[in-house]
């Protein structure tokens, strides 16, 4: 990297999953709108045609007169080529296909176990992790060999286990996981403030919060806006709008299974006194299966949806067609900020800025005092030149800790199961998962685990056969 006139040039970024038809375009767009950094993006993907397409799309974007961030996009044919000499690496991969995800999400429904996302917790999240962990072992080994000093940014789910695997394989790695769920809850608080306090145009980043928890099951025990304690504001709003929830101006939960009315958040606040800081679809999967995800009618009553994998398959067809149009020059990427902070964090690690943001890293400094050191936790951290310093978040209240602990224990079980091909550990994890616990007999749950493993064998090591 070269520093001159408050800018950094010749940055080398490896993008693992460089054929992405979603995150990659978001990343490219954010880079193209910032002129303080430039360099080369090396796109590596197990689907070379997809990464070649993104090379064309990225190069066209960089050549446009209305883009100020200029980057060279090149396809890499191997992890070695992508990683050697890189300053940063972004990991954004889909472990398996939507056929495997179909089994992850929908097969448990035969036991009355419903999942609204299926990529982090519950049976779907755990089986997805069995596919993902071997891939991350390979990636971590390559980083250790070819780019030991690079900063690694993970966007892949299940976030906690992906980051945990990277550190397990290469303890000295400089890796962290980024997730935008906290931003979404800051936006909810922003909207409630504007509506109830008569304020206008609040910047989401001015909603200051203390973040503590694990990915997709994060919580705020402090929230303020310019001296205003937002807990009483939030409590009053919930008391007045508990049944209808909070409808964001540009979103409607009834028209999209990705949206919600935040009623699960409201209910969790009433029960535990903290602001649950993820989307309702994620939060519900960490709770007992007899509650928010008991059945489709219950889900609807809480005003969120069950995202079907058929929807994702149809969306992929549309993305593939969009990828063709972009590469052929029939369509241009819209220059619109994504709201993600990945580019801002890279700038800070380059020394151009200093940022406080939520991050997923091991609890090495006991930033959450009553979780294990080897747990991957989500708290705020200070990003500066070549450093991430986690903010001490404090302890999680006991009642909330009881909700989080089963998942932390299962992270250990599933990591070990993936590394040793041990079905017994998978059975234990399934039987202790809150969504599953008490919903079926032990024999039925074990049979479910076996069938879900069978449906994903193509992506598992030989030891599972």
């Amino acid at each position: 990297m070269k520093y001159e006139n408050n800018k950094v040039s010749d940055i080398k970024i490896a993008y693992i999953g460089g054929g992405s038809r979603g995150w990659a375009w978001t990343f490219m767009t954010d880079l193209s709108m910032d002129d303080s950094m430039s360099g080369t993006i090396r796109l590596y993907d197990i689907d070379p045609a997809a990464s070649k397409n993104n090379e064309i799309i990225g190069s066209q974007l960089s050549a446009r007169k209305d883009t100020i961030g200029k980057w060279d996009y090149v396809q890499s044919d191997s992890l070695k080529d992508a990683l050697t000499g890189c300053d940063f690496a972004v990991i954004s991969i889909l472990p398996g296909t939507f056929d495997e995800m179909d089994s992850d999400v929908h097969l448990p429904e035969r036991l009355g176990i419903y999942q609204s996302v299926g990529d982090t917790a519950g049976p779907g999240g755990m089986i997805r992790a069995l596919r993902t962990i071997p891939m991350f072992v390979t990636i971590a080994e390559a980083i250790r060999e070819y780019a030991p000093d690079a900063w690694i940014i993970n966007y892949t789910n299940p976030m906690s286990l992906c980051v945990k695997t990277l550190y397990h394989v290469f303890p000295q790695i400089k890796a962290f996981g980024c997730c935008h769920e906290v931003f979404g809850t800051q936006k909810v608080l922003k909207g409630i403030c504007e509506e109830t306090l008569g304020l206008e145009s609040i910047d989401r980043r001015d909603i200051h919060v203390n973040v503590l928890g694990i990915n997709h099951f994060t919580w705020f025990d402090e929230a303020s806006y310019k001296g205003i304690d937002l807990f009483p504001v939030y409590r009053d709003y919930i008391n007045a709008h508990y049944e209808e929830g909070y409808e964001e101006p540009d979103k409607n939960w009834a028209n999209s299974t990705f949206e919600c009315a935040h009623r699960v958040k409201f209910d969790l606040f009433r029960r535990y006194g903290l602001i649950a800081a993820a989307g309702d679809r994620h939060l519900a999967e960490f709770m007992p299966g007899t509650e928010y995800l008991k059945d489709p009618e219950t889900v609807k009553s809480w005003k969120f949806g069950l995202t079907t994998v058929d929807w994702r398959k149809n969306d992929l067809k549309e993305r593939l067609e969009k990828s063709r149009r972009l590469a052929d020059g029939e369509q241009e990427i819209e220059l619109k900020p994504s709201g993600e902070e990945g580019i801002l964090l890279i700038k800070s690690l380059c020394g151009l800025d200093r940022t406080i943001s939520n991050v997923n890293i091991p609890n090495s400094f006991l930033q959450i005092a009553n979780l294990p050191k080897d747990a991957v936790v989500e708290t705020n951290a200070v990003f500066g030149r070549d450093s991430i310093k986690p903010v001490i978040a404090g302890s999680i209240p006991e009642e909330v800790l009881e909700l989080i602990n089963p998942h932390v224990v299962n992270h250990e079980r599933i990591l070990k199961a993936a590394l040793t091909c041990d079905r017994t550990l998978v059975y234990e994890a399934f039987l202790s998962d809150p969504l599953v616990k008490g919903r079926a007999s032990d024999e039925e749950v074990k049979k479910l685990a076996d069938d879900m493993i069978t449906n994903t064998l193509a992506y598992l090591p030989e030891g599972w056969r």
Side-chain angles (χ1 to χ4, degrees):
M1 294 188 292
K2 299 175 183 176
Y3 294 81
E4 188 176 4
N5 297 325
N6 296 317
K7 296 185 179 183
V8 184
S9 61
D10 199 27
I11 302 172
K12 298 177 180 64
I13 301 177
Y15 197 117
I16 301 170
S20 157
R21 288 101 179 179
W23 277 110
W25 299 342
T26 298
F27 189 69
M28 291 174 178
T29 305
D30 285 346
L31 284 173
S32 75
M33 299 176 68
D34 191 315
D35 68 350
S36 65
M37 299 188 296
S38 60
T40 302
I41 312 293
R42 302 167 179 170
L43 303 165
Y44 169 73
D45 202 285
I46 58 173
D47 180 352
S51 55
K52 185 65 179 179
N53 234 37
N54 277 349
E55 177 190 284
I56 295 168
I57 293 167
S59 297
Q60 290 175 344
L61 179 64
S62 193
R64 283 166 51 176
K65 292 181 180 180
D66 57 347
T67 59
I68 58 175
K70 302 298 183 181
W71 292 80
D72 295 322
Y73 289 88
V74 298
Q75 181 188 30
S76 289
D77 294 325
S78 66
L79 282 172
K80 178 180 179 180
D81 290 343
L83 289 167
T84 299
C86 74
D87 304 294
F88 298 90
V90 173
I91 310 175
S92 174
I93 65 172
L94 175 66
T97 71
F98 287 135
D99 288 334
E100 283 74 34
M101 187 184 284
D102 200 309
S103 172
D104 293 348
V105 174
H106 297 302
L107 201 63
E109 291 171 4
R110 76 187 193 197
L111 298 182
I113 298 166
Y114 292 90
Q115 300 169 107
S116 36
V117 187
D119 70 358
T120 300
M126 289 186 278
I127 297 299
R128 181 185 176 105
L130 294 183
R131 291 196 298 277
T132 311
I133 289 168
M135 300 176 188
F136 269 69
V137 168
T138 299
I139 292 169
E141 289 171 345
I143 291 166
R144 182 176 59 199
E145 183 170 358
Y146 304 119
D149 297 321
W151 282 100
I152 314 302
I153 309 170
N154 178 59
Y155 285 102
T156 305
N157 288 322
M159 175 66 72
S160 299
L161 272 164
C162 290
V163 174
K164 192 174 183 69
T165 303
L166 293 173
Y167 278 91
H168 176 84
V169 174
F170 180 24
Q172 290 75 40
I173 200 169
K174 300 188 317 191
F176 59 97
C178 285
C179 180
H180 59 212
E181 293 292 313
V182 163
F183 307 160
T185 305
Q186 286 176 302
K187 289 177 183 175
V188 171
L189 292 174
K190 155 189 157 68
I192 289 173
C193 275
E194 291 174 344
E195 181 180 330
T196 60
L197 302 180
L199 302 172
E200 294 182 0
S201 303
I202 294 174
D203 187 331
R204 185 268 302 172
R205 293 181 177 86
D206 288 333
I207 305 289
H208 294 165
V209 295
N210 186 51
V211 181
L212 67 173
I214 57 176
N215 184 242
H216 291 155
F217 203 39
T218 39
W219 303 76
F220 300 158
D221 64 355
E222 297 174 11
S224 63
Y225 173 69
K226 296 189 181 298
I228 302 170
D229 181 359
L230 296 184
F231 269 64
V233 176
Y234 193 62
R235 182 180 297 108
D236 289 346
Y237 190 90
I238 290 173
N239 289 337
H241 301 277
Y242 180 76
E243 293 299 331
E244 66 266 31
Y246 172 73
E247 295 284 357
E248 297 178 67
D250 56 341
K251 298 176 181 178
N252 186 326
W253 75 272
N255 295 333
S256 170
T257 55
F258 287 96
E259 308 303 341
C260 67
H262 306 286
R263 290 199 67 230
V264 173
K265 282 186 191 62
F266 286 8
D267 192 56
L268 291 172
F269 183 82
R270 279 190 166 183
R271 294 168 65 181
Y272 301 105
L274 299 188
I275 299 174
D280 284 9
R281 295 164 57 250
H282 281 299
L283 294 169
E285 291 190 326
F286 288 84
M287 298 297 290
T290 53
E291 297 187 8
Y292 309 112
L293 283 165
K294 182 179 178 181
D295 52 46
E297 292 72 29
T298 300
V299 171
K300 190 174 180 180
S301 73
W302 287 102
K303 296 190 175 182
F304 68 100
L306 300 170
T307 304
T308 67
V309 178
D310 280 344
W311 185 95
R312 294 180 184 275
K313 289 179 178 179
N314 289 329
D315 181 62
L316 176 59
K317 292 177 183 177
E318 293 178 8
R319 288 178 181 272
L320 287 170
E321 176 57 23
K322 181 178 178 179
S323 178
R324 184 200 63 76
R325 293 196 305 270
L326 289 170
D328 289 348
E330 297 174 12
Q331 182 177 343
E332 286 189 336
I333 289 177
E334 181 184 4
L335 295 185
K336 180 180 178 181
S338 70
E340 301 292 339
E341 291 193 349
I343 306 308
L344 184 60
L345 302 183
I346 290 175
K347 286 177 63 174
S348 296
L349 290 168
C350 287
L352 295 178
D353 212 332
R354 188 169 180 269
T355 303
I356 297 175
S357 188
N358 57 298
V359 65
N360 292 271
I361 54 176
N363 196 35
S364 305
F365 296 93
L366 288 179
Q367 50 266 41
I368 299 180
N370 50 351
L371 284 178
K373 276 192 170 186
D374 58 356
V376 171
V377 299
E378 187 161 353
T379 68
N380 284 330
V382 180
F383 288 73
R385 191 194 66 81
D386 200 30
S387 75
I388 299 176
K389 294 182 171 64
V391 171
I392 299 302
S395 295
I396 298 171
E398 283 301 317
E399 280 190 302
V400 176
L401 185 65
E402 288 178 11
L403 301 175
I404 292 174
N405 271 332
H407 302 284
V408 171
V409 173
N410 267 354
H411 290 163
E412 287 292 328
R413 286 192 181 108
I414 292 297
L415 176 61
K416 188 177 292 185
L419 297 174
T420 61
C421 305
D422 188 339
R423 285 179 187 253
T424 302
L425 288 171
V426 179
Y427 299 153
E428 290 176 8
F430 267 50
L431 288 165
S432 63
D433 182 86
L435 273 186
V436 178
K437 199 170 185 177
R439 304 303 304 280
S441 69
D442 287 8
E443 291 72 23
E444 289 173 318
V445 171
K446 290 177 181 178
K447 179 67 165 60
L448 173 65
D450 284 334
D451 290 347
M452 292 180 74
I453 289 170
T454 297
N455 289 345
T456 200
L457 275 178
Y459 291 90
L460 298 183
E462 283 293 326
W464 288 101
R465 289 163 177 78

